[in-house]
Amino acid sequence: MREAITRKCDLLIENWKLIHKGYWLENGSIAAIAAATFAEKDRDADVEMLKECHKILKKKEGIFSEFRGNSELIVTSKMALSADPERYLEDVTGVYKKFQKGKFWGSNYRALAAMTICDVGKASEADAIIEKTNEILKGMNKVHPFLTSDEDTSFAVLLAISGKKTEDILEELEETYQCLKKKFSLHDNAVYSLSQVLTSYEGGAQDKADKAIEIFDAFAAAGAKYGKGYELASLGTLIGLNAGSDDIAAEVVETADYLKGNKGFGAFDMGKATRLMFGTMMVAGDNSDENYKVGASVISGAVARVVAEQTAMLVAIMAASTSSATTSSSH
C-alpha cells in the first residue's frame, strides 16, 4: 500500500479512537464519518473543539432540529474544521431554511444537501442552486416517480453545482441509468444514486457507466464484491482515477483490509461493503489530479454521509423494534 494511503488511513483510525473515546455512545458509522471528515483535511480530531461546537449547536438548534440527532457529530465536525464554527452553523441552517420553503416536514437529506452547498463555498449562491436542485428533482420524479425520493436531494444538489444545464443533466442521468440497470438488476434505487454521482462528472454517459461496471467487476474478480446498496454510489468516485480497473480495485481492497485490523473498522464494527466504501474514500481522494480531487472529496463525503444516515436510521429502527418486542413479551 502506498505511503500516502497508509498515512491517511492511520490518521482516520486515530481520529476514530479519539472521537469514540469522547462520544462512546455514538453510532460507529457516524463516528467513522466524523473521523474521515478530519482525516480528509489532514487534521487530528479535536474532541474538545467538537464539544464546544456541540454546545453552540444545542444553544442554536432545538432538539427536533434536523441538525441534531443522527447528524449532530457530522455537523459539529464541520463546525470544528471551519474558521468560524458559529458562522458555519448559521450558513448551513440558513441554506436549509431556504430548502424548506414551502415544505411542511423536515428532512435530514435536505440538511445534508445544505452542508454540501456550504462545503463548496457556495452559500451565497444557495437560492439559485436550490432552485436548480428542485428542478432536477422534479424532472427525476416525472420520469421515475417510484425511484425519486427525499433521499435524492443529497445527490441532486451535486448535479446542481456541476455547472451543467438542467436539461442536459436529466438527459444524461437517464442515459446513464439505462446503461447501468442492465448490470445491477433488482437494485434500482442504488443504481439511480450511482447514476446521479456519475452524471456529476464530465464525460460521456456510456463511457462513465462502462468504467463503473468495469471497476465493479474488478472488485468481484479480486474476491471483494462491492455493495449494491447505498454504498454503490461511492463507486462513482473512482471513475476518474488514472489507473486500470484491476489496479484501482486492488488498492481499495488493500486499503479496506488495512482498516479491518483496527478498532472501529473491524468485522464487528461494520460490514464489508461499508469498509470498502471507506477504502474507496481514501483512494479516490488521494489518486486524483487537483480538479478531480476536489470533486471526489465533495462527492465521496456526500455519499458517505448518506450511508451513515441510513445506517444510523436502521440501528434506531432495530433498537425500537427490539424494545417494542421486549415490552410486548413482558406483558
Side-chain angles (χ1 to χ4, degrees):
M1 196 161 75
R2 288 180 297 114
E3 184 181 347
I5 300 293
T6 303
R7 186 170 63 249
K8 185 163 281 192
C9 285
D10 287 342
L11 183 56
L12 172 63
I13 292 160
E14 287 305 310
N15 282 346
W16 186 90
K17 290 177 182 176
L18 289 169
I19 290 171
H20 181 67
K21 187 176 180 179
Y23 295 86
W24 60 276
L25 288 175
E26 185 60 78
N27 173 274
S29 291
I30 296 288
I33 297 301
T37 300
F38 281 95
E40 191 267 322
K41 298 294 184 183
D42 290 320
R43 296 267 296 274
D44 293 327
D46 188 338
V47 176
E48 290 306 311
M49 188 61 177
L50 279 172
K51 290 186 181 296
E52 285 300 313
C53 290
H54 191 231
K55 289 178 184 177
I56 295 172
L57 179 62
K58 287 178 70 176
K59 181 181 177 182
K60 298 285 186 180
E61 294 292 306
I63 194 169
F64 296 111
S65 167
E66 301 304 326
F67 294 95
R68 299 285 300 275
N70 292 341
S71 301
E72 280 187 31
L73 190 53
I74 294 174
V75 176
T76 52
S77 294
K78 291 289 186 180
M79 290 171 65
L81 284 165
S82 69
D84 186 341
E86 196 160 343
R87 175 61 186 275
Y88 178 84
L89 181 61
E90 287 174 0
D91 285 346
V92 169
T93 53
V95 172
Y96 175 70
K97 286 174 184 175
K98 292 181 178 182
F99 259 118
Q100 284 298 103
K101 190 175 181 180
K103 297 178 175 66
F104 182 75
W105 298 107
S107 164
N108 284 28
Y109 297 101
R110 285 194 285 276
L112 296 179
M115 289 173 62
T116 296
I117 291 174
C118 293
D119 291 347
V120 295
K122 293 184 179 292
S124 62
E125 302 171 40
D127 289 313
I129 293 172
I130 291 168
E131 182 180 357
K132 189 173 179 180
T133 300
N134 288 333
E135 287 174 358
I136 292 168
L137 287 168
K138 185 177 179 180
M140 289 165 57
N141 188 65
K142 184 177 180 181
V143 180
H144 295 290
F146 297 109
L147 290 181
T148 307
S149 68
D150 183 47
E151 295 173 23
D152 291 298
T153 310
S154 300
F155 296 133
V157 75
L158 296 172
L159 295 169
I161 62 178
S162 67
K164 300 178 183 179
K165 294 180 180 178
T166 301
E167 298 79 9
D168 295 338
I169 287 170
L170 292 170
E171 183 178 338
E172 183 184 336
L173 175 59
E174 182 59 20
E175 184 181 349
T176 305
Y177 173 70
Q178 293 301 330
C179 291
L180 290 172
K181 76 172 190 174
K182 301 167 190 174
K183 173 68 176 181
F184 304 103
S185 57
L186 305 179
H187 297 278
D188 287 356
N189 279 303
V191 171
Y192 207 37
S193 294
L194 174 57
S195 300
Q196 292 170 60
V197 171
L198 293 178
T199 304
S200 300
Y201 291 116
E202 295 298 325
Q206 185 71 59
D207 291 339
K208 289 184 290 186
D210 287 345
K211 183 68 179 290
I213 291 170
E214 193 176 282
I215 295 172
F216 180 87
D217 288 341
F219 275 107
K225 291 183 178 180
Y226 212 83
K228 294 180 182 178
Y230 289 99
E231 305 91 350
L232 186 64
S234 64
L235 191 72
T237 63
L238 297 172
I239 65 164
L241 302 185
N242 297 317
S245 297
D246 290 341
D247 291 336
I248 292 171
E251 185 162 45
V252 172
V253 170
E254 187 177 11
T255 303
D257 286 343
Y258 185 81
L259 291 173
K260 185 180 179 181
N262 295 273
K263 183 68 175 173
F265 300 90
F268 293 106
D269 301 299
M270 62 176 56
K272 293 179 181 178
T274 304
R275 192 161 45 249
L276 275 176
M277 183 195 73
F278 275 96
T280 291
M281 288 177 68
M282 297 295 104
V283 173
D286 184 76
N287 261 350
S288 323
D289 62 42
E290 284 307 307
N291 290 330
Y292 179 76
K293 194 170 186 175
V294 173
S297 173
V298 171
I299 293 172
S300 61
V303 172
R305 289 195 290 271
V306 171
V307 173
E309 189 72 38
Q310 286 297 329
T311 303
M313 284 183 177
L314 287 172
V315 169
I317 291 169
M318 288 171 65
S321 298
T322 301
S323 175
S324 176
T326 302
T327 303
S328 297
S329 63
S330 66
H331 293 293

